[in-house]
Amino acid sequence: MALLCIRIAMILVLFLAFSENYGFLRGVTSLGINYGQVGNNLPQPEKVLDLLSSLKLTKARIYDTNPQILTAFANSNVELIVTVENQMLAVLMDPQQAFQWVSTHIKPYFPATRITGIAVGNEVFTDSDATLLAYLVPAIVSIHGALAQLGLDSYIHVSTPNSLAVLTESYPPSAGSFKTEVSGIMSQYLQFLSSTKAPFWINAYPYFAYKDKPDEVPLDYVLFNPNSGMIDPHTKLHYDNMLYAQVDAVIFAIARMGFDGIEVGVSETGWPSKGDADEVGAMVDNAAAYNKNILRRQFKNEGTPLRPNMRLEIYLFALFNEDMKPGPTSERNYGLFQPDCTMVYNVGISALSSPSSSTSSASISLTSSATKVTNMESLVYLKFMIFLTFHVFTRRAYCAIV
């Protein structure tokens, strides 16, 4: 009997190891989507939830703590990252004010609404108002402390999204380093992330690199299309797209500050489907290619060359075109959907044209050939494991009879 148990245990270990490597048990984790609200014609939150459900998207980020959204998303399977607006940082430095804020804006909705993160400010390290930076870490610490007092800190992480402009060097990735003028506060922030296991969020837009230097930056490289890519001369790692290179540059910058093991995720990335005459590359075909290729990579639970075994968390920007956003035309045309929930372009998501329709027929239809091969290999291996287990049991039973 002892030998039989050992055999069965070995089979299970082999199966679990295979499943982990090939994704049989792991499955596909949803990518995230940024749900902005700077528009006067956007659908009600209930309709937005219907749309997300029809697309089988289970992660979203909003740019405030809109009570209508938090209420509408209750008892759904959508995980939400909410945001503290930049102008609130000075107030929330005070632990008592932070406790009041969490008690009012988070606690009444949790856990019915699956709030998993709080983004404290947005791109504060590079904001034009330099005074905000002094408030950032104290506000983060106070909000985390308030969550701890209420017993929510193990469920809700606290971090802040950063612009890629926080780096003074990003090419090659191994040269990644933060600007010296923010290094002091950056060190405090990284210490907080390290101690709480929260991710470092980066807003990364390869589109801007291409727009600024279209004659120097290969379009296929920024769109994730097949290309020769680049090799980091120091690490010899090969990069076939700019986004992964940007993420790894941030990881190297964090390491230069003396920290290791902090997860880096992409809080925003996207491509505009329309732009002004001087916004090179802002067009439907490029936007569709960029977002479709990201979906393909996410479907494979892919990591970056520096961290190939750690799935890169990505939140696409954005769910809707938002007609009240200031700035150039591109700013109002990052959405996958129009405000009436029709697609701006097809990125491989099969969705209904209207959230009022039945959602049962909508699904994510994007499946890469690599995923299909993986699933077939997993099925074959599972059958093999079942056969081995059956063989062991029947052999044991036969031996017992004779």
Side-chain angles (χ1 to χ4, degrees):
M1 180 59 72
L3 182 59
L4 173 63
C5 292
I6 291 172
R7 287 176 176 174
I8 294 173
M10 289 177 65
I11 291 170
L12 289 174
V13 167
L14 285 170
F15 175 62
L16 289 173
F18 179 89
S19 301
E20 175 64 23
N21 289 333
Y22 284 86
F24 187 81
L25 295 180
R26 180 178 56 191
V28 177
T29 304
S30 169
L31 84 161
I33 194 84
N34 282 280
Y35 169 20
Q37 305 153 59
V38 189
N40 59 10
N41 55 357
L42 297 176
Q44 291 298 308
E46 293 80 7
K47 299 297 184 183
V48 175
L49 178 60
D50 287 344
L51 178 62
L52 293 178
S53 298
S54 74
L55 300 173
K56 294 182 171 57
L57 294 176
T58 58
K59 294 182 181 180
R61 174 186 170 215
I62 59 176
Y63 291 85
D64 52 20
T65 52
N66 187 324
Q68 284 185 295
I69 295 176
L70 296 182
T71 300
F73 279 49
N75 303 310
S76 73
N77 68 337
V78 177
E79 299 178 358
L80 276 180
I81 294 177
V82 301
T83 302
V84 175
E85 297 90 335
N86 285 4
Q87 62 267 26
M88 287 295 298
L89 298 186
V91 175
L92 297 180
M93 289 175 59
D94 181 347
Q96 290 185 335
Q97 293 290 337
F99 183 84
Q100 182 62 37
W101 185 89
V102 172
S103 299
T104 303
H105 293 80
I106 304 296
K107 189 175 183 296
Y109 304 99
F110 185 88
T113 301
R114 300 179 65 185
I115 301 171
T116 58
I118 299 175
V120 181
N122 188 51
E123 300 188 348
V124 176
F125 276 97
T126 51
D127 195 275
S128 57
D129 183 359
T131 61
L132 284 176
L133 189 54
Y135 308 144
L136 179 63
V137 173
I140 287 174
V141 171
S142 293
I143 290 171
H144 181 264
L147 289 171
Q149 283 183 264
L150 295 167
L152 305 178
D153 58 307
S154 60
Y155 305 101
I156 302 173
H157 75 256
V158 183
S159 187
T160 188
N162 299 280
S163 165
L164 198 69
V166 77
L167 298 180
T168 188
E169 293 288 345
S170 62
Y171 182 86
S174 59
S177 56
F178 292 114
K179 291 181 175 179
T180 55
E181 57 265 33
V182 302
S183 61
I185 295 176
M186 181 61 72
S187 180
Q188 299 171 29
Y189 172 57
L190 293 175
Q191 182 61 57
F192 171 85
L193 296 183
S194 180
S195 62
T196 62
K197 308 304 179 187
F200 185 106
W201 290 114
I202 189 77
N203 296 339
Y205 289 88
Y207 159 71
F208 291 122
Y210 177 75
K211 179 181 74 72
D212 293 341
K213 297 181 179 180
D215 295 330
E216 299 179 26
V217 178
L219 182 60
D220 285 334
Y221 180 63
V222 294
L223 291 181
F224 287 82
N225 284 334
N227 68 96
S228 59
M230 60 84 66
I231 295 176
D232 188 305
H234 304 293
T235 63
K236 307 305 179 185
L237 293 173
H238 176 258
Y239 292 87
D240 65 357
N241 69 86
M242 181 176 284
L243 181 67
Y244 286 8
Q246 291 173 335
V247 171
D248 279 356
V250 173
I251 296 173
F252 274 106
I254 291 172
R256 278 191 167 81
M257 297 290 291
F259 296 89
D260 187 31
I262 294 175
E263 179 184 359
V264 175
V266 179
S267 41
E268 287 183 18
T269 193
W271 197 286
S273 59
K274 186 187 297 185
D276 296 321
D278 62 345
E279 295 187 288
V280 181
M283 54 191 295
V284 167
D285 288 349
N286 289 343
Y290 184 77
N291 287 317
K292 177 181 259 185
N293 287 331
I294 282 183
L295 280 166
R296 284 196 176 116
R297 301 297 183 104
Q298 287 282 282
F299 209 86
K300 293 189 289 185
N301 291 329
E302 199 171 73
T304 67
L306 187 59
R307 290 179 174 174
N309 298 319
M310 178 182 288
R311 179 184 181 275
L312 178 62
E313 193 84 1
I314 295 177
Y315 281 72
L316 284 183
F317 187 88
L319 185 56
F320 296 111
N321 281 341
E322 301 168 63
D323 67 345
M324 295 179 67
K325 293 197 72 174
T329 297
S330 62
E331 286 296 316
R332 295 175 288 283
N333 289 278
Y334 274 90
L336 299 181
F337 291 86
Q338 301 286 5
D340 64 359
C341 296
T342 57
M343 290 183 187
V344 177
Y345 47 83
N346 191 342
V347 294
I349 295 177
S350 176
L352 304 175
S353 60
S354 169
S356 61
S357 306
S358 167
T359 60
S360 60
S361 64
S363 63
I364 292 179
S365 59
L366 179 64
T367 306
S368 69
S369 59
T371 303
K372 291 177 181 175
V373 171
T374 293
N375 290 340
M376 180 58 70
E377 290 174 348
S378 298
L379 182 59
V380 171
Y381 196 85
L382 176 60
K383 289 179 179 178
F384 180 65
M385 289 293 97
I386 292 173
F387 169 77
L388 282 182
T389 305
F390 177 77
H391 176 72
V392 171
F393 271 112
T394 53
R395 184 177 179 211
R396 175 64 184 173
Y398 174 78
C399 292
I401 292 173
V402 299

